Amino acid sequence: MTLSESKELENHLLSLGKEELAVWINQCSQGEVILPSGCDINWWTGLAYALASRSRSIEPWDLDWAKIAVAFYEHLNNPTLIESSMALRLNLLQKFGVQEQEDLLNPQIIVQWFERSVQLLPEDALQISQQWRADLAAGDPYAHISNDSLLEIRTIKNKLNIVKELLSIPTFQPTANLLHWIEIQQQLV
Amino acid sequence: MKYQNFLFVSGLSFILSSLQILPVLSLTSSSNISGASPARQWNWVSSFPNQLSSRLQAELADAKKLGVKPLNVQTQIKTAAFDSVISAGTIKWAIDEAGNLLIIPKNVKGSEIYHSVLTNGAPVAAAGEAEMAGDKTNGYFLLMISNYSGHYKPTGDTIDLGITAFKKAGVKTDSAKKVVQDPKKYS
């Protein structure tokens, strides 16, 4: 059985060292690499996860491998992959603590990821959630709130699952707005 | 005669399993006209092995440490545990080789839980992520379903298996947004 080109590329990349991989992902970001068919989001997810695993395979965790894993997770700018990247960043912060001069250990990267994407005020998100629950109880859940609106609320809630864990990191100072979001998270759909 | 049929099906399953093609109980089987027990139908589907198995034991240990146990949607829907998992955020789902629809939360305490936890690393017929809302009193609604899984890399056509399985378990799927990852689109 012959391997697909994407699987061959995956095996090749996983055989490379840190420096070579860093060069490859940089060239990829510059559009200098032509990828074979099959390099979809699941391909990137698997590859990034394998690299993240290397960073955590021995104590102390290897920040260089983690940096490469983050670069792979964030290459496509896909929301699902970015969320995995932020979860990895959080795990690194929980392990090493805050070092703001180090991009990988700067909690503001996670905070900005949350704040940049939120288009609603907390009160609006709450109102949508309450309306949907009222409509649900009345037997017509989509009477006023669309599926897309529910998914927007759910995206906020999912991001808060990561953001709220920053509170456990010593020296992290949340803004009042962020605290307000965290307080209402459980009331969101 | 029944025993012979059993041997035939078991033998066939073994041969096809080795080829990574599995018979799974039809998720769309329906009762016959007389209302007697539903006729079993077999759908022939691909099986997807765990492609990131080297860290399986650590993944299972991490999930155990966080108290994560897969829920069988068919048997555990309308329980407090089910309501808690679906309302917490994104879920990961898979259909195992026996046709069971299983779910886990995607994130617990900021840590990602991986698809391998759903079947202890065993191959799956379909897998992905989903968003669901609702509760045992008012019913459940599938908001989004995808075939995202870096561990199993299921093909895009398997999403329909997931939708059918959720529907059969009593989840309303009519408004669900389908997010399909298909390698062919990235050629």
Side-chain angles (χ1 to χ4, degrees):
Chain A
M1 191 178 101
T2 56
L3 293 174
S4 66
E5 284 184 79
S6 60
K7 188 63 185 172
E8 278 184 15
L9 177 60
E10 183 182 320
N11 289 344
H12 168 66
L13 292 173
L14 291 175
S15 73
L16 298 178
K18 293 175 200 173
E19 292 78 11
E20 293 167 302
L21 267 174
V23 169
W24 186 88
I25 189 65
N26 188 43
Q27 286 175 335
C28 218
S29 301
Q30 306 290 325
E32 295 168 7
V33 176
I34 298 172
L35 294 169
S37 65
C39 296
D40 66 350
I41 288 171
N42 285 335
W43 182 85
W44 282 95
T45 304
L47 200 49
Y49 170 77
L51 298 171
S53 298
R54 283 189 190 172
S55 72
R56 290 181 286 206
S57 60
I58 46 168
E59 293 289 343
W61 292 2
D62 188 323
L63 280 179
D64 290 335
W65 275 120
K67 271 181 201 168
I68 294 169
V70 163
F72 273 76
Y73 272 129
E74 297 181 359
H75 170 69
L76 286 185
N77 201 25
N78 169 274
T80 301
L81 283 163
I82 298 282
E83 190 178 320
S84 293
S85 178
M86 294 299 157
L88 174 59
R89 286 176 179 275
L90 172 69
N91 294 159
L92 292 164
L93 277 161
Q94 289 167 327
K95 183 83 174 174
F96 293 100
V98 173
Q99 296 175 28
E100 286 185 1
Q101 72 284 5
E102 169 62 73
D103 175 83
L104 211 52
L105 300 174
N106 182 352
Q108 293 310 316
I109 303 278
I110 296 176
V111 174
Q112 287 163 11
W113 162 69
F114 173 74
E115 291 182 337
R116 267 202 309 267
S117 63
V118 175
Q119 306 294 321
L120 296 170
L121 295 169
E123 291 70 25
D124 296 334
L126 265 181
Q127 191 184 6
I128 291 169
S129 299
Q130 287 162 354
Q131 179 70 60
W132 187 78
R133 288 201 177 93
D135 291 341
L136 176 67
D140 190 4
Y142 293 105
H144 300 95
I145 309 297
S146 68
N147 195 63
D148 283 346
S149 293
L150 291 175
L151 284 173
E152 186 179 0
I153 302 291
R154 190 50 79 90
T155 299
I156 294 170
K157 190 173 188 177
N158 288 333
K159 289 185 177 185
L160 286 167
N161 276 334
I162 292 173
V163 170
K164 71 181 179 188
E165 297 301 323
L166 289 171
L167 298 182
S168 65
I169 296 170
T171 75
F172 175 69
Q173 298 289 324
T175 61
N177 183 52
L178 194 63
L179 275 178
H180 188 27
W181 273 113
I182 291 169
E183 281 165 9
I184 67 162
Q185 189 213 11
Q186 292 307 312
Q187 298 171 61
L188 301 179
V189 169
Chain B
M1 185 64 185
K2 279 182 181 174
Y3 184 64
Q4 284 173 333
N5 284 343
F6 173 76
L7 285 178
F8 171 74
V9 171
S10 300
L12 198 58
S13 296
F14 176 77
I15 293 165
L16 293 171
S17 293
S18 65
L19 296 172
Q20 295 189 0
I21 301 171
L22 297 166
V24 295
L25 264 182
S26 172
L27 300 165
T28 54
S29 62
S30 55
S31 299
N32 58 26
I33 295 169
S34 65
S37 61
R40 283 186 163 193
Q41 300 170 358
W42 296 93
N43 283 340
W44 300 92
V45 297
S46 299
S47 168
F48 300 93
N50 180 9
Q51 296 185 33
L52 297 167
S53 55
S54 63
R55 209 173 165 271
L56 175 63
Q57 293 312 316
E59 291 164 358
L60 297 176
D62 288 347
K64 190 176 178 186
K65 205 182 297 176
L66 290 165
V68 175
K69 286 182 187 167
L71 296 176
N72 184 320
V73 177
Q74 285 102 328
T75 58
Q76 291 175 281
I77 196 168
K78 295 186 179 177
T79 62
F82 184 87
D83 284 9
S84 172
V85 167
I86 65 150
S87 66
T90 308
I91 52 173
K92 292 192 177 188
W93 65 272
I95 299 174
D96 69 12
E97 292 182 344
N100 296 304
L101 174 61
L102 306 161
I103 63 166
I104 49 171
K106 179 178 179 179
N107 279 292
V108 175
K109 294 180 182 170
S111 292
E112 186 163 352
I113 312 297
Y114 298 99
H115 275 100
S116 50
V117 171
L118 285 158
T119 58
N120 281 323
V124 300
E129 296 185 359
E131 299 287 350
M132 203 189 300
D135 55 50
K136 60 184 173 186
T137 308
N138 298 300
Y140 300 99
F141 296 82
L142 192 66
L143 309 179
M144 183 282 291
I145 184 165
S146 77
N147 64 320
Y148 285 135
S149 173
H151 279 66
Y152 289 105
K153 299 182 175 63
T155 49
D157 53 349
T158 58
I159 282 190
D160 289 334
L161 278 179
I163 291 175
T164 306
F166 277 112
K167 196 172 185 175
K168 190 166 182 247
V171 177
K172 293 182 177 66
T173 61
D174 297 346
S175 301
K177 179 178 180 181
K178 279 168 67 170
V179 182
V180 182
Q181 288 313 305
D182 188 340
K184 291 171 200 147
K185 289 180 183 171
Y186 289 79
S187 57

